[in-house]
Amino acid sequence: MPKDGPEGLRERKKRMTRAALRTAAVRLFSERGPEAVTVEEICAEAGVSPRTFFNYFAAKEETLLPFTRDDCERFAREVAERPGHERPQQAVRAVLEAAIGRAVAGPTWREEAALLRRHPALAHRGVAATRSLRRALTEGLARRLGPQAPRLYLHVVASVSVAAMQAAVNAWQEDPEEGDVLRLLGEAFDRVEAGLAPPQD
């Protein structure tokens, strides 16, 4: 479908609404803390209804997470549709690198990461999101490789890939001013693909 067709317009509107909700939530959370902010206040700030909010997020804390439910569904499709010559690990890597690239390009990436660091109580949402991401990648690999692929293999590739992504983001969070998260992500995947060989002196 053409970029400016109905589907393109709809997707752009969804991205704009999601971004407005994230921006509003980050500002309010930064001022008062997540516990003191309601969904209704986020919606008023963003100019949307609570019903619209719940089309995008299951809870206010999810506005701080880099990937939504829609994102995970898209990741499964993207993994399945990557070029056929790519190994499974390469296909997942390409999808996650592109996803992190889009996330860090957003205006609130650093603020979201800082809020998650300052409020450990939000960690349970991150755990649930990580589980959803692993499940989506596993499903994408299953579509890609077909029913003959061992299920354990699919889980291992998805889990190791998510772990590499988390390691890169964690390293970046320890020194966000100096680190480039995309470079760190590439290094993490290189380590995985090299069999976790130790660095050479």
Side-chain angles (χ1 to χ4, degrees):
M1 183 171 290
K3 183 177 179 181
D4 292 327
E7 188 65 24
L9 291 172
R10 188 179 304 116
E11 289 304 314
R12 283 199 296 277
K13 183 177 179 180
K14 287 174 66 175
R15 284 196 298 273
M16 291 173 63
T17 301
R18 186 181 295 114
L21 287 165
R22 286 190 189 280
T23 300
V26 166
R27 190 184 74 77
L28 293 171
F29 289 171
S30 297
E31 289 178 355
R32 293 153 47 193
E35 301 83 0
V37 177
T38 67
V39 167
E40 289 75 15
E41 288 171 325
I42 295 171
C43 293
E45 178 82 8
V48 303
S49 69
R51 180 177 179 180
T52 297
F53 178 94
F54 288 110
N55 287 335
Y56 294 89
F57 305 103
K60 63 182 182 180
E61 295 86 356
E62 287 190 3
T63 57
L64 298 178
L65 303 178
F67 307 133
T68 66
R69 290 167 291 180
D70 289 346
D71 289 330
C72 286
E73 292 173 5
R74 186 174 75 250
F75 298 159
R77 293 194 302 271
E78 290 176 348
V79 168
E81 295 169 1
R82 289 290 304 174
H85 63 83
E86 292 180 347
R87 298 193 306 275
Q89 175 65 41
Q90 291 175 318
V92 174
R93 173 179 181 166
V95 169
L96 289 182
E97 285 182 330
I100 291 294
R102 289 190 296 269
V104 301
T108 57
W109 164 260
R110 288 182 181 275
E111 291 84 353
E112 290 163 12
L115 283 164
L116 287 169
R117 288 197 304 273
R118 290 202 303 269
H119 299 278
L122 300 174
H124 70 286
R125 289 287 177 184
V127 171
T130 299
R131 188 181 304 117
S132 296
L133 177 58
R134 282 198 301 267
R135 188 162 51 243
L137 296 175
T138 301
E139 175 58 29
L141 288 167
R143 296 181 203 172
R144 182 181 186 84
L145 299 178
Q148 74 279 4
R151 196 69 183 175
L152 177 60
Y153 173 75
L154 305 181
H155 282 294
V156 168
V157 173
S159 297
V160 168
S161 299
V162 172
M165 182 193 72
Q166 289 178 308
V169 172
N170 289 341
W172 172 80
Q173 287 180 332
E174 291 175 2
D175 193 2
E177 297 304 322
E178 297 297 330
D180 177 344
V181 69
L182 293 176
R183 176 182 61 78
L184 292 169
L185 183 61
E187 289 182 9
F189 279 122
D190 288 345
R191 293 289 180 201
V192 168
E193 292 169 11
L196 294 178
Q200 300 296 316
D201 294 332

PDB file of all heavy atoms in Angstrom, residues 7-31:
ATOM      1  N   GLU A   7      -3.699   3.303   5.295  1.00  0.00           N
ATOM      2  CA  GLU A   7      -2.968   2.585   6.343  1.00  0.00           C
ATOM      3  C   GLU A   7      -1.782   3.399   6.837  1.00  0.00           C
ATOM      4  O   GLU A   7      -1.486   3.445   8.011  1.00  0.00           O
ATOM      5  CB  GLU A   7      -2.507   1.231   5.809  1.00  0.00           C
ATOM      6  CG  GLU A   7      -1.913   0.320   6.878  1.00  0.00           C
ATOM      7  CD  GLU A   7      -2.928  -0.086   7.932  1.00  0.00           C
ATOM      8  OE1 GLU A   7      -4.128  -0.077   7.641  1.00  0.00           O
ATOM      9  OE2 GLU A   7      -2.504  -0.398   9.063  1.00  0.00           O
ATOM     10  N   GLY A   8      -1.096   4.072   5.909  1.00  0.00           N
ATOM     11  CA  GLY A   8       0.022   4.905   6.303  1.00  0.00           C
ATOM     12  C   GLY A   8      -0.404   6.038   7.207  1.00  0.00           C
ATOM     13  O   GLY A   8       0.250   6.333   8.202  1.00  0.00           O
ATOM     14  N   LEU A   9      -1.510   6.675   6.879  1.00  0.00           N
ATOM     15  CA  LEU A   9      -2.022   7.761   7.706  1.00  0.00           C
ATOM     16  C   LEU A   9      -2.416   7.251   9.085  1.00  0.00           C
ATOM     17  O   LEU A   9      -2.156   7.892  10.100  1.00  0.00           O
ATOM     18  CB  LEU A   9      -3.221   8.419   7.020  1.00  0.00           C
ATOM     19  CG  LEU A   9      -2.913   9.221   5.757  1.00  0.00           C
ATOM     20  CD1 LEU A   9      -4.206   9.641   5.071  1.00  0.00           C
ATOM     21  CD2 LEU A   9      -2.078  10.455   6.098  1.00  0.00           C
ATOM     22  N   ARG A  10      -3.042   6.095   9.118  1.00  0.00           N
ATOM     23  CA  ARG A  10      -3.483   5.527  10.388  1.00  0.00           C
ATOM     24  C   ARG A  10      -2.287   5.203  11.278  1.00  0.00           C
ATOM     25  O   ARG A  10      -2.304   5.488  12.475  1.00  0.00           O
ATOM     26  CB  ARG A  10      -4.303   4.263  10.123  1.00  0.00           C
ATOM     27  CG  ARG A  10      -4.979   3.674  11.357  1.00  0.00           C
ATOM     28  CD  ARG A  10      -5.799   2.445  11.014  1.00  0.00           C
ATOM     29  NE  ARG A  10      -6.785   2.718   9.990  1.00  0.00           N
ATOM     30  CZ  ARG A  10      -6.786   2.155   8.773  1.00  0.00           C
ATOM     31  NH1 ARG A  10      -5.836   1.284   8.446  1.00  0.00           N
ATOM     32  NH2 ARG A  10      -7.716   2.443   7.899  1.00  0.00           N
ATOM     33  N   GLU A  11      -1.264   4.625  10.668  1.00  0.00           N
ATOM     34  CA  GLU A  11      -0.083   4.272  11.457  1.00  0.00           C
ATOM     35  C   GLU A  11       0.632   5.510  11.971  1.00  0.00           C
ATOM     36  O   GLU A  11       1.116   5.538  13.105  1.00  0.00           O
ATOM     37  CB  GLU A  11       0.867   3.414  10.617  1.00  0.00           C
ATOM     38  CG  GLU A  11       0.359   2.009  10.363  1.00  0.00           C
ATOM     39  CD  GLU A  11       0.042   1.265  11.639  1.00  0.00           C
ATOM     40  OE1 GLU A  11       0.870   1.304  12.568  1.00  0.00           O
ATOM     41  OE2 GLU A  11      -1.032   0.666  11.734  1.00  0.00           O
ATOM     42  N   ARG A  12       0.704   6.553  11.158  1.00  0.00           N
ATOM     43  CA  ARG A  12       1.354   7.783  11.613  1.00  0.00           C
ATOM     44  C   ARG A  12       0.575   8.415  12.767  1.00  0.00           C
ATOM     45  O   ARG A  12       1.163   8.910  13.732  1.00  0.00           O
ATOM     46  CB  ARG A  12       1.481   8.780  10.452  1.00  0.00           C
ATOM     47  CG  ARG A  12       2.600   8.425   9.495  1.00  0.00           C
ATOM     48  CD  ARG A  12       2.995   9.623   8.649  1.00  0.00           C
ATOM     49  NE  ARG A  12       1.912  10.059   7.779  1.00  0.00           N
ATOM     50  CZ  ARG A  12       1.628   9.528   6.599  1.00  0.00           C
ATOM     51  NH1 ARG A  12       2.343   8.515   6.150  1.00  0.00           N
ATOM     52  NH2 ARG A  12       0.654  10.000   5.859  1.00  0.00           N
ATOM     53  N   LYS A  13      -0.745   8.370  12.665  1.00  0.00           N
ATOM     54  CA  LYS A  13      -1.563   8.926  13.754  1.00  0.00           C
ATOM     55  C   LYS A  13      -1.355   8.130  15.040  1.00  0.00           C
ATOM     56  O   LYS A  13      -1.252   8.707  16.139  1.00  0.00           O
ATOM     57  CB  LYS A  13      -3.032   8.906  13.361  1.00  0.00           C
ATOM     58  CG  LYS A  13      -3.937   9.534  14.406  1.00  0.00           C
ATOM     59  CD  LYS A  13      -5.387   9.568  13.960  1.00  0.00           C
ATOM     60  CE  LYS A  13      -6.275  10.186  15.039  1.00  0.00           C
ATOM     61  NZ  LYS A  13      -7.700  10.225  14.634  1.00  0.00           N
ATOM     62  N   LYS A  14      -1.265   6.816  14.918  1.00  0.00           N
ATOM     63  CA  LYS A  14      -1.031   5.989  16.100  1.00  0.00           C
ATOM     64  C   LYS A  14       0.322   6.305  16.722  1.00  0.00           C
ATOM     65  O   LYS A  14       0.441   6.412  17.947  1.00  0.00           O
ATOM     66  CB  LYS A  14      -1.109   4.500  15.723  1.00  0.00           C
ATOM     67  CG  LYS A  14      -2.514   3.999  15.446  1.00  0.00           C
ATOM     68  CD  LYS A  14      -2.523   2.586  14.937  1.00  0.00           C
ATOM     69  CE  LYS A  14      -2.046   1.595  15.972  1.00  0.00           C
ATOM     70  NZ  LYS A  14      -2.164   0.195  15.490  1.00  0.00           N
ATOM     71  N   ARG A  15       1.352   6.467  15.889  1.00  0.00           N
ATOM     72  CA  ARG A  15       2.674   6.787  16.422  1.00  0.00           C
ATOM     73  C   ARG A  15       2.664   8.135  17.133  1.00  0.00           C
ATOM     74  O   ARG A  15       3.272   8.297  18.193  1.00  0.00           O
ATOM     75  CB  ARG A  15       3.708   6.794  15.291  1.00  0.00           C
ATOM     76  CG  ARG A  15       4.117   5.417  14.807  1.00  0.00           C
ATOM     77  CD  ARG A  15       5.386   5.491  13.986  1.00  0.00           C
ATOM     78  NE  ARG A  15       5.205   6.294  12.780  1.00  0.00           N
ATOM     79  CZ  ARG A  15       4.761   5.823  11.618  1.00  0.00           C
ATOM     80  NH1 ARG A  15       4.441   4.543  11.515  1.00  0.00           N
ATOM     81  NH2 ARG A  15       4.652   6.604  10.565  1.00  0.00           N
ATOM     82  N   MET A  16       1.962   9.105  16.544  1.00  0.00           N
ATOM     83  CA  MET A  16       1.905  10.429  17.161  1.00  0.00           C
ATOM     84  C   MET A  16       1.172  10.388  18.494  1.00  0.00           C
ATOM     85  O   MET A  16       1.582  11.017  19.469  1.00  0.00           O
ATOM     86  CB  MET A  16       1.227  11.407  16.208  1.00  0.00           C
ATOM     87  CG  MET A  16       2.050  11.736  14.974  1.00  0.00           C
ATOM     88  SD  MET A  16       1.142  12.737  13.765  1.00  0.00           S
ATOM     89  CE  MET A  16       0.859  14.222  14.725  1.00  0.00           C
ATOM     90  N   THR A  17       0.074   9.627  18.553  1.00  0.00           N
ATOM     91  CA  THR A  17      -0.674   9.520  19.803  1.00  0.00           C
ATOM     92  C   THR A  17       0.147   8.820  20.868  1.00  0.00           C
ATOM     93  O   THR A  17       0.206   9.258  22.033  1.00  0.00           O
ATOM     94  CB  THR A  17      -1.994   8.760  19.569  1.00  0.00           C
ATOM     95  OG1 THR A  17      -2.770   9.457  18.591  1.00  0.00           O
ATOM     96  CG2 THR A  17      -2.794   8.638  20.858  1.00  0.00           C
ATOM     97  N   ARG A  18       0.808   7.739  20.493  1.00  0.00           N
ATOM     98  CA  ARG A  18       1.645   7.013  21.452  1.00  0.00           C
ATOM     99  C   ARG A  18       2.769   7.912  21.965  1.00  0.00           C
ATOM    100  O   ARG A  18       3.065   7.938  23.171  1.00  0.00           O
ATOM    101  CB  ARG A  18       2.210   5.759  20.795  1.00  0.00           C
ATOM    102  CG  ARG A  18       2.977   4.857  21.747  1.00  0.00           C
ATOM    103  CD  ARG A  18       3.537   3.630  21.040  1.00  0.00           C
ATOM    104  NE  ARG A  18       2.474   2.766  20.561  1.00  0.00           N
ATOM    105  CZ  ARG A  18       2.211   2.520  19.279  1.00  0.00           C
ATOM    106  NH1 ARG A  18       2.946   3.096  18.336  1.00  0.00           N
ATOM    107  NH2 ARG A  18       1.244   1.710  18.936  1.00  0.00           N
ATOM    108  N   ALA A  19       3.389   8.663  21.062  1.00  0.00           N
ATOM    109  CA  ALA A  19       4.476   9.557  21.467  1.00  0.00           C
ATOM    110  C   ALA A  19       3.970  10.648  22.400  1.00  0.00           C
ATOM    111  O   ALA A  19       4.651  11.017  23.371  1.00  0.00           O
ATOM    112  CB  ALA A  19       5.129  10.173  20.232  1.00  0.00           C
ATOM    113  N   ALA A  20       2.775  11.176  22.124  1.00  0.00           N
ATOM    114  CA  ALA A  20       2.218  12.224  22.989  1.00  0.00           C
ATOM    115  C   ALA A  20       1.944  11.683  24.387  1.00  0.00           C
ATOM    116  O   ALA A  20       2.200  12.371  25.396  1.00  0.00           O
ATOM    117  CB  ALA A  20       0.929  12.771  22.375  1.00  0.00           C
ATOM    118  N   LEU A  21       1.451  10.462  24.472  1.00  0.00           N
ATOM    119  CA  LEU A  21       1.201   9.850  25.776  1.00  0.00           C
ATOM    120  C   LEU A  21       2.507   9.597  26.524  1.00  0.00           C
ATOM    121  O   LEU A  21       2.599   9.829  27.734  1.00  0.00           O
ATOM    122  CB  LEU A  21       0.415   8.550  25.605  1.00  0.00           C
ATOM    123  CG  LEU A  21      -1.058   8.725  25.218  1.00  0.00           C
ATOM    124  CD1 LEU A  21      -1.650   7.411  24.718  1.00  0.00           C
ATOM    125  CD2 LEU A  21      -1.854   9.255  26.394  1.00  0.00           C
ATOM    126  N   ARG A  22       3.518   9.114  25.828  1.00  0.00           N
ATOM    127  CA  ARG A  22       4.819   8.888  26.467  1.00  0.00           C
ATOM    128  C   ARG A  22       5.393  10.197  26.994  1.00  0.00           C
ATOM    129  O   ARG A  22       5.882  10.268  28.124  1.00  0.00           O
ATOM    130  CB  ARG A  22       5.803   8.280  25.460  1.00  0.00           C
ATOM    131  CG  ARG A  22       5.581   6.832  25.115  1.00  0.00           C
ATOM    132  CD  ARG A  22       6.775   6.333  24.318  1.00  0.00           C
ATOM    133  NE  ARG A  22       6.579   5.016  23.758  1.00  0.00           N
ATOM    134  CZ  ARG A  22       6.718   3.874  24.426  1.00  0.00           C
ATOM    135  NH1 ARG A  22       7.046   3.917  25.702  1.00  0.00           N
ATOM    136  NH2 ARG A  22       6.527   2.713  23.833  1.00  0.00           N
ATOM    137  N   THR A  23       5.355  11.229  26.162  1.00  0.00           N
ATOM    138  CA  THR A  23       5.918  12.517  26.558  1.00  0.00           C
ATOM    139  C   THR A  23       5.205  13.076  27.774  1.00  0.00           C
ATOM    140  O   THR A  23       5.834  13.580  28.719  1.00  0.00           O
ATOM    141  CB  THR A  23       5.835  13.510  25.387  1.00  0.00           C
ATOM    142  OG1 THR A  23       6.576  12.985  24.274  1.00  0.00           O
ATOM    143  CG2 THR A  23       6.394  14.871  25.773  1.00  0.00           C
ATOM    144  N   ALA A  24       3.879  12.986  27.766  1.00  0.00           N
ATOM    145  CA  ALA A  24       3.096  13.484  28.898  1.00  0.00           C
ATOM    146  C   ALA A  24       3.420  12.703  30.164  1.00  0.00           C
ATOM    147  O   ALA A  24       3.612  13.279  31.251  1.00  0.00           O
ATOM    148  CB  ALA A  24       1.607  13.394  28.587  1.00  0.00           C
ATOM    149  N   ALA A  25       3.485  11.372  30.041  1.00  0.00           N
ATOM    150  CA  ALA A  25       3.766  10.547  31.213  1.00  0.00           C
ATOM    151  C   ALA A  25       5.156  10.839  31.776  1.00  0.00           C
ATOM    152  O   ALA A  25       5.328  10.969  32.996  1.00  0.00           O
ATOM    153  CB  ALA A  25       3.639   9.072  30.844  1.00  0.00           C
ATOM    154  N   VAL A  26       6.136  10.936  30.899  1.00  0.00           N
ATOM    155  CA  VAL A  26       7.504  11.191  31.365  1.00  0.00           C
ATOM    156  C   VAL A  26       7.575  12.524  32.099  1.00  0.00           C
ATOM    157  O   VAL A  26       8.209  12.637  33.158  1.00  0.00           O
ATOM    158  CB  VAL A  26       8.486  11.146  30.182  1.00  0.00           C
ATOM    159  CG1 VAL A  26       9.829  11.745  30.574  1.00  0.00           C
ATOM    160  CG2 VAL A  26       8.675   9.710  29.718  1.00  0.00           C
ATOM    161  N   ARG A  27       6.940  13.553  31.558  1.00  0.00           N
ATOM    162  CA  ARG A  27       6.989  14.866  32.211  1.00  0.00           C
ATOM    163  C   ARG A  27       6.352  14.809  33.593  1.00  0.00           C
ATOM    164  O   ARG A  27       6.908  15.290  34.584  1.00  0.00           O
ATOM    165  CB  ARG A  27       6.296  15.921  31.357  1.00  0.00           C
ATOM    166  CG  ARG A  27       6.538  17.337  31.862  1.00  0.00           C
ATOM    167  CD  ARG A  27       5.779  18.371  31.063  1.00  0.00           C
ATOM    168  NE  ARG A  27       4.351  18.370  31.371  1.00  0.00           N
ATOM    169  CZ  ARG A  27       3.831  18.907  32.478  1.00  0.00           C
ATOM    170  NH1 ARG A  27       4.607  19.450  33.393  1.00  0.00           N
ATOM    171  NH2 ARG A  27       2.533  18.871  32.672  1.00  0.00           N
ATOM    172  N   LEU A  28       5.171  14.211  33.674  1.00  0.00           N
ATOM    173  CA  LEU A  28       4.465  14.145  34.956  1.00  0.00           C
ATOM    174  C   LEU A  28       5.190  13.238  35.946  1.00  0.00           C
ATOM    175  O   LEU A  28       5.301  13.565  37.134  1.00  0.00           O
ATOM    176  CB  LEU A  28       3.034  13.666  34.731  1.00  0.00           C
ATOM    177  CG  LEU A  28       2.134  14.631  33.952  1.00  0.00           C
ATOM    178  CD1 LEU A  28       0.809  13.964  33.591  1.00  0.00           C
ATOM    179  CD2 LEU A  28       1.886  15.903  34.752  1.00  0.00           C
ATOM    180  N   PHE A  29       5.676  12.090  35.470  1.00  0.00           N
ATOM    181  CA  PHE A  29       6.405  11.181  36.354  1.00  0.00           C
ATOM    182  C   PHE A  29       7.665  11.849  36.891  1.00  0.00           C
ATOM    183  O   PHE A  29       8.027  11.674  38.056  1.00  0.00           O
ATOM    184  CB  PHE A  29       6.804   9.912  35.603  1.00  0.00           C
ATOM    185  CG  PHE A  29       5.662   8.987  35.271  1.00  0.00           C
ATOM    186  CD1 PHE A  29       5.863   7.905  34.431  1.00  0.00           C
ATOM    187  CD2 PHE A  29       4.393   9.187  35.783  1.00  0.00           C
ATOM    188  CE1 PHE A  29       4.834   7.035  34.123  1.00  0.00           C
ATOM    189  CE2 PHE A  29       3.344   8.328  35.471  1.00  0.00           C
ATOM    190  CZ  PHE A  29       3.573   7.249  34.640  1.00  0.00           C
ATOM    191  N   SER A  30       8.362  12.606  36.036  1.00  0.00           N
ATOM    192  CA  SER A  30       9.590  13.265  36.458  1.00  0.00           C
ATOM    193  C   SER A  30       9.317  14.331  37.511  1.00  0.00           C
ATOM    194  O   SER A  30      10.113  14.541  38.423  1.00  0.00           O
ATOM    195  CB  SER A  30      10.292  13.900  35.246  1.00  0.00           C
ATOM    196  OG  SER A  30      10.681  12.917  34.316  1.00  0.00           O
ATOM    197  N   GLU A  31       8.189  15.016  37.393  1.00  0.00           N
ATOM    198  CA  GLU A  31       7.845  16.074  38.335  1.00  0.00           C
ATOM    199  C   GLU A  31       7.384  15.534  39.681  1.00  0.00           C
ATOM    200  O   GLU A  31       7.751  16.045  40.731  1.00  0.00           O
ATOM    201  CB  GLU A  31       6.736  16.950  37.750  1.00  0.00           C
ATOM    202  CG  GLU A  31       7.178  17.837  36.598  1.00  0.00           C
ATOM    203  CD  GLU A  31       6.019  18.641  36.045  1.00  0.00           C
ATOM    204  OE1 GLU A  31       4.858  18.432  36.491  1.00  0.00           O
ATOM    205  OE2 GLU A  31       6.262  19.481  35.152  1.00  0.00           O
TER     206      GLU A  31
END
